[in-house]
PDB file of all heavy atoms in Angstrom:
ATOM      1  N   ARG J1355      92.985 -61.552-136.449  1.00 95.00           N
ATOM      2  CA  ARG J1355      92.032 -62.605-136.814  1.00 95.00           C
ATOM      3  C   ARG J1355      91.241 -62.207-137.993  1.00 95.00           C
ATOM      4  O   ARG J1355      91.008 -61.030-138.260  1.00 95.00           O
ATOM      5  CB  ARG J1355      91.061 -62.853-135.602  1.00 95.00           C
ATOM      6  CG  ARG J1355      91.775 -63.559-134.458  1.00 95.00           C
ATOM      7  CD  ARG J1355      91.092 -63.381-133.132  1.00 95.00           C
ATOM      8  NE  ARG J1355      90.875 -61.996-132.737  1.00 95.00           N
ATOM      9  CZ  ARG J1355      91.811 -61.149-132.309  1.00 95.00           C
ATOM     10  NH1 ARG J1355      93.053 -61.527-132.265  1.00 95.00           N
ATOM     11  NH2 ARG J1355      91.498 -59.875-132.049  1.00 95.00           N
ATOM     12  N   GLU J1357      88.096 -62.442-138.571  1.00 92.00           N
ATOM     13  CA  GLU J1357      86.841 -61.786-138.238  1.00 92.00           C
ATOM     14  C   GLU J1357      86.891 -60.956-136.994  1.00 92.00           C
ATOM     15  O   GLU J1357      85.955 -60.898-136.206  1.00 92.00           O
ATOM     16  CB  GLU J1357      85.706 -62.808-138.096  1.00 92.00           C
ATOM     17  CG  GLU J1357      85.335 -63.538-139.389  1.00 92.00           C
ATOM     18  CD  GLU J1357      84.731 -62.644-140.433  1.00 92.00           C
ATOM     19  OE1 GLU J1357      84.013 -61.662-140.051  1.00 92.00           O
ATOM     20  OE2 GLU J1357      84.974 -62.910-141.622  1.00 92.00           O
ATOM     21  N   GLY J1358      88.051 -60.320-136.715  1.00 87.00           N
ATOM     22  CA  GLY J1358      88.162 -59.456-135.554  1.00 87.00           C
ATOM     23  C   GLY J1358      87.993 -60.088-134.187  1.00 87.00           C
ATOM     24  O   GLY J1358      88.881 -60.597-133.627  1.00 87.00           O
ATOM     25  N   HIS J1359      86.732 -60.075-133.703  1.00 94.00           N
ATOM     26  CA  HIS J1359      86.475 -60.614-132.352  1.00 94.00           C
ATOM     27  C   HIS J1359      85.914 -62.082-132.377  1.00 94.00           C
ATOM     28  O   HIS J1359      85.188 -62.440-131.486  1.00 94.00           O
ATOM     29  CB  HIS J1359      85.529 -59.702-131.622  1.00 94.00           C
ATOM     30  CG  HIS J1359      86.226 -58.501-131.121  1.00 94.00           C
ATOM     31  ND1 HIS J1359      86.173 -57.315-131.764  1.00 94.00           N
ATOM     32  CD2 HIS J1359      87.020 -58.308-130.024  1.00 94.00           C
ATOM     33  CE1 HIS J1359      86.929 -56.373-131.075  1.00 94.00           C
ATOM     34  NE2 HIS J1359      87.414 -57.017-130.012  1.00 94.00           N
ATOM     35  N   VAL J1360      86.281 -62.842-133.363  1.00 97.00           N
ATOM     36  CA  VAL J1360      85.897 -64.204-133.471  1.00 97.00           C
ATOM     37  C   VAL J1360      87.144 -65.055-133.747  1.00 97.00           C
ATOM     38  O   VAL J1360      87.908 -64.752-134.675  1.00 97.00           O
ATOM     39  CB  VAL J1360      84.862 -64.472-134.591  1.00 97.00           C
ATOM     40  CG1 VAL J1360      84.483 -65.964-134.681  1.00 97.00           C
ATOM     41  CG2 VAL J1360      83.606 -63.631-134.332  1.00 97.00           C
ATOM     42  N   LEU J1361      87.329 -66.101-132.951  1.00 98.00           N
ATOM     43  CA  LEU J1361      88.479 -66.989-133.134  1.00 98.00           C
ATOM     44  C   LEU J1361      88.024 -68.157-133.999  1.00 98.00           C
ATOM     45  O   LEU J1361      87.085 -68.853-133.652  1.00 98.00           O
ATOM     46  CB  LEU J1361      89.009 -67.522-131.803  1.00 98.00           C
ATOM     47  CG  LEU J1361      90.162 -68.481-131.878  1.00 98.00           C
ATOM     48  CD1 LEU J1361      91.398 -67.835-132.507  1.00 98.00           C
ATOM     49  CD2 LEU J1361      90.482 -69.037-130.517  1.00 98.00           C
ATOM     50  N   GLU J1362      88.608 -68.286-135.223  1.00 98.00           N
ATOM     51  CA  GLU J1362      88.331 -69.361-136.183  1.00 98.00           C
ATOM     52  C   GLU J1362      89.559 -70.210-136.390  1.00 98.00           C
ATOM     53  O   GLU J1362      90.696 -69.840-136.066  1.00 98.00           O
ATOM     54  CB  GLU J1362      87.894 -68.729-137.456  1.00 98.00           C
ATOM     55  CG  GLU J1362      86.679 -67.812-137.380  1.00 98.00           C
ATOM     56  CD  GLU J1362      86.310 -67.227-138.733  1.00 98.00           C
ATOM     57  OE1 GLU J1362      86.752 -67.726-139.796  1.00 98.00           O
ATOM     58  OE2 GLU J1362      85.619 -66.196-138.701  1.00 98.00           O
ATOM     59  N   ASP J1365      92.579 -68.679-137.983  1.00 98.00           N
ATOM     60  CA  ASP J1365      93.403 -67.800-137.113  1.00 98.00           C
ATOM     61  C   ASP J1365      94.460 -68.544-136.433  1.00 98.00           C
ATOM     62  O   ASP J1365      95.357 -67.939-135.814  1.00 98.00           O
ATOM     63  CB  ASP J1365      92.486 -67.121-136.104  1.00 98.00           C
ATOM     64  CG  ASP J1365      91.377 -66.327-136.781  1.00 98.00           C
ATOM     65  OD1 ASP J1365      91.648 -65.646-137.793  1.00 98.00           O
ATOM     66  OD2 ASP J1365      90.246 -66.340-136.218  1.00 98.00           O
ATOM     67  N   ALA J1379      93.352 -69.745-125.133  1.00 98.00           N
ATOM     68  CA  ALA J1379      92.974 -68.524-125.849  1.00 98.00           C
ATOM     69  C   ALA J1379      92.505 -67.509-124.811  1.00 98.00           C
ATOM     70  O   ALA J1379      91.556 -67.705-124.073  1.00 98.00           O
ATOM     71  CB  ALA J1379      91.820 -68.813-126.792  1.00 98.00           C
ATOM     72  N   GLY J1380      93.239 -66.371-124.834  1.00 98.00           N
ATOM     73  CA  GLY J1380      92.821 -65.197-123.981  1.00 98.00           C
ATOM     74  C   GLY J1380      91.837 -64.386-124.823  1.00 98.00           C
ATOM     75  O   GLY J1380      92.198 -63.824-125.830  1.00 98.00           O
ATOM     76  N   THR J1381      90.623 -64.284-124.298  1.00 98.00           N
ATOM     77  CA  THR J1381      89.537 -63.686-125.071  1.00 98.00           C
ATOM     78  C   THR J1381      89.306 -62.142-124.825  1.00 98.00           C
ATOM     79  O   THR J1381      88.241 -61.662-125.137  1.00 98.00           O
ATOM     80  CB  THR J1381      88.246 -64.438-124.843  1.00 98.00           C
ATOM     81  OG1 THR J1381      87.949 -64.436-123.430  1.00 98.00           O
ATOM     82  CG2 THR J1381      88.389 -65.895-125.335  1.00 98.00           C
ATOM     83  N   GLY J1382      90.334 -61.523-124.222  1.00 97.00           N
ATOM     84  CA  GLY J1382      90.206 -60.094-123.936  1.00 97.00           C
ATOM     85  C   GLY J1382      89.992 -59.833-122.469  1.00 97.00           C
ATOM     86  O   GLY J1382      89.460 -60.723-121.788  1.00 97.00           O
ATOM     87  N   ASN J1384      87.649 -58.062-121.150  1.00 96.00           N
ATOM     88  CA  ASN J1384      86.189 -58.213-120.849  1.00 96.00           C
ATOM     89  C   ASN J1384      85.586 -59.396-121.566  1.00 96.00           C
ATOM     90  O   ASN J1384      84.394 -59.435-121.740  1.00 96.00           O
ATOM     91  CB  ASN J1384      85.534 -56.909-121.301  1.00 96.00           C
ATOM     92  CG  ASN J1384      85.954 -55.782-120.429  1.00 96.00           C
ATOM     93  OD1 ASN J1384      86.088 -55.874-119.184  1.00 96.00           O
ATOM     94  ND2 ASN J1384      86.384 -54.704-121.110  1.00 96.00           N
ATOM     95  N   ASP J1385      86.392 -60.302-121.978  1.00 95.00           N
ATOM     96  CA  ASP J1385      85.933 -61.629-122.586  1.00 95.00           C
ATOM     97  C   ASP J1385      85.138 -61.372-123.853  1.00 95.00           C
ATOM     98  O   ASP J1385      84.138 -62.104-124.113  1.00 95.00           O
ATOM     99  CB  ASP J1385      85.188 -62.367-121.532  1.00 95.00           C
ATOM    100  CG  ASP J1385      85.048 -63.861-121.838  1.00 95.00           C
ATOM    101  OD1 ASP J1385      85.924 -64.414-122.472  1.00 95.00           O
ATOM    102  OD2 ASP J1385      84.063 -64.480-121.321  1.00 95.00           O
ATOM    103  N   ARG J1386      85.504 -60.445-124.672  1.00 96.00           N
ATOM    104  CA  ARG J1386      84.678 -60.066-125.873  1.00 96.00           C
ATOM    105  C   ARG J1386      84.969 -60.945-127.114  1.00 96.00           C
ATOM    106  O   ARG J1386      84.117 -61.009-127.982  1.00 96.00           O
ATOM    107  CB  ARG J1386      84.882 -58.606-126.208  1.00 96.00           C
ATOM    108  CG  ARG J1386      84.409 -57.704-125.091  1.00 96.00           C
ATOM    109  CD  ARG J1386      83.222 -56.900-125.598  1.00 96.00           C
ATOM    110  NE  ARG J1386      82.627 -56.099-124.475  1.00 96.00           N
ATOM    111  CZ  ARG J1386      82.728 -54.779-124.417  1.00 96.00           C
ATOM    112  NH1 ARG J1386      83.338 -54.106-125.326  1.00 96.00           N
ATOM    113  NH2 ARG J1386      82.166 -54.133-123.339  1.00 96.00           N
ATOM    114  N   MET J1387      86.154 -61.513-127.180  1.00 97.00           N
ATOM    115  CA  MET J1387      86.414 -62.376-128.359  1.00 97.00           C
ATOM    116  C   MET J1387      85.647 -63.701-128.192  1.00 97.00           C
ATOM    117  O   MET J1387      85.794 -64.384-127.196  1.00 97.00           O
ATOM    118  CB  MET J1387      87.980 -62.622-128.509  1.00 97.00           C
ATOM    119  CG  MET J1387      88.304 -63.401-129.737  1.00 97.00           C
ATOM    120  SD  MET J1387      90.081 -63.600-129.982  1.00 97.00           S
ATOM    121  CE  MET J1387      90.452 -64.874-128.811  1.00 97.00           C
ATOM    122  N   LYS J1388      84.948 -64.062-129.217  1.00 97.00           N
ATOM    123  CA  LYS J1388      84.139 -65.281-129.181  1.00 97.00           C
ATOM    124  C   LYS J1388      84.773 -66.375-129.941  1.00 97.00           C
ATOM    125  O   LYS J1388      85.676 -66.115-130.817  1.00 97.00           O
ATOM    126  CB  LYS J1388      82.714 -65.031-129.705  1.00 97.00           C
ATOM    127  CG  LYS J1388      81.974 -63.951-128.989  1.00 97.00           C
ATOM    128  CD  LYS J1388      81.883 -64.247-127.455  1.00 97.00           C
ATOM    129  CE  LYS J1388      81.277 -63.115-126.679  1.00 97.00           C
ATOM    130  NZ  LYS J1388      81.533 -63.212-125.262  1.00 97.00           N
ATOM    131  N   ILE J1389      84.391 -67.580-129.692  1.00 97.00           N
ATOM    132  CA  ILE J1389      84.912 -68.761-130.404  1.00 97.00           C
ATOM    133  C   ILE J1389      83.930 -69.233-131.434  1.00 97.00           C
ATOM    134  O   ILE J1389      82.748 -69.357-131.143  1.00 97.00           O
ATOM    135  CB  ILE J1389      85.193 -69.946-129.357  1.00 97.00           C
ATOM    136  CG1 ILE J1389      86.056 -69.415-128.162  1.00 97.00           C
ATOM    137  CG2 ILE J1389      85.783 -71.106-130.038  1.00 97.00           C
ATOM    138  CD1 ILE J1389      87.338 -68.715-128.562  1.00 97.00           C
ATOM    139  N   ALA J1390      84.417 -69.411-132.659  1.00 98.00           N
ATOM    140  CA  ALA J1390      83.515 -69.868-133.728  1.00 98.00           C
ATOM    141  C   ALA J1390      82.881 -71.191-133.361  1.00 98.00           C
ATOM    142  O   ALA J1390      83.454 -72.029-132.785  1.00 98.00           O
ATOM    143  CB  ALA J1390      84.341 -70.001-135.044  1.00 98.00           C
ATOM    144  N   PRO J1391      81.601 -71.312-133.745  1.00 97.00           N
ATOM    145  CA  PRO J1391      80.852 -72.537-133.462  1.00 97.00           C
ATOM    146  C   PRO J1391      81.625 -73.755-134.075  1.00 97.00           C
ATOM    147  O   PRO J1391      82.104 -73.690-135.257  1.00 97.00           O
ATOM    148  CB  PRO J1391      79.535 -72.390-134.172  1.00 97.00           C
ATOM    149  CG  PRO J1391      79.393 -70.893-134.288  1.00 97.00           C
ATOM    150  CD  PRO J1391      80.740 -70.333-134.482  1.00 97.00           C
ATOM    151  N   LEU J1393      84.582 -74.858-133.318  1.00 98.00           N
ATOM    152  CA  LEU J1393      86.062 -74.817-133.322  1.00 98.00           C
ATOM    153  C   LEU J1393      86.623 -75.799-132.252  1.00 98.00           C
ATOM    154  O   LEU J1393      87.578 -76.535-132.566  1.00 98.00           O
ATOM    155  CB  LEU J1393      86.589 -73.414-132.990  1.00 98.00           C
ATOM    156  CG  LEU J1393      88.055 -73.267-132.905  1.00 98.00           C
ATOM    157  CD1 LEU J1393      88.773 -73.699-134.180  1.00 98.00           C
ATOM    158  CD2 LEU J1393      88.427 -71.801-132.539  1.00 98.00           C
ATOM    159  N   THR J1406      89.406 -71.500-123.207  1.00 98.00           N
ATOM    160  CA  THR J1406      89.138 -70.098-123.477  1.00 98.00           C
ATOM    161  C   THR J1406      88.831 -69.407-122.172  1.00 98.00           C
ATOM    162  O   THR J1406      88.008 -69.904-121.409  1.00 98.00           O
ATOM    163  CB  THR J1406      88.059 -69.864-124.515  1.00 98.00           C
ATOM    164  OG1 THR J1406      86.832 -70.452-124.020  1.00 98.00           O
ATOM    165  CG2 THR J1406      88.450 -70.539-125.871  1.00 98.00           C
ATOM    166  N   HIS J1433      94.139 -61.914-126.961  1.00 98.00           N
ATOM    167  CA  HIS J1433      93.563 -60.669-127.346  1.00 98.00           C
ATOM    168  C   HIS J1433      93.829 -59.744-126.126  1.00 98.00           C
ATOM    169  O   HIS J1433      93.437 -60.033-125.020  1.00 98.00           O
ATOM    170  CB  HIS J1433      92.030 -60.886-127.592  1.00 98.00           C
ATOM    171  CG  HIS J1433      91.356 -59.605-127.995  1.00 98.00           C
ATOM    172  ND1 HIS J1433      91.849 -58.755-128.913  1.00 98.00           N
ATOM    173  CD2 HIS J1433      90.198 -59.123-127.618  1.00 98.00           C
ATOM    174  CE1 HIS J1433      91.022 -57.738-129.104  1.00 98.00           C
ATOM    175  NE2 HIS J1433      89.953 -57.950-128.257  1.00 98.00           N
ATOM    176  N   CYS J1436      89.772 -55.303-125.286  1.00 91.00           N
ATOM    177  CA  CYS J1436      88.407 -55.552-124.914  1.00 91.00           C
ATOM    178  C   CYS J1436      88.123 -57.053-124.811  1.00 91.00           C
ATOM    179  O   CYS J1436      87.207 -57.501-124.138  1.00 91.00           O
ATOM    180  CB  CYS J1436      87.402 -54.985-125.864  1.00 91.00           C
ATOM    181  SG  CYS J1436      87.667 -55.322-127.562  1.00 91.00           S
TER     182      CYS J1436
END
Side-chain angles (χ1 to χ4, degrees):
R1355 287 159 308 285
E1357 295 293 327
H1359 282 98
V1360 178
L1361 179 62
E1362 300 178 19
D1365 303 320
T1381 57
N1384 297 311
D1385 202 25
R1386 296 244 173 112
M1387 185 175 78
K1388 302 304 174 198
I1389 307 307
L1393 177 60
T1406 60
H1433 180 44
C1436 54

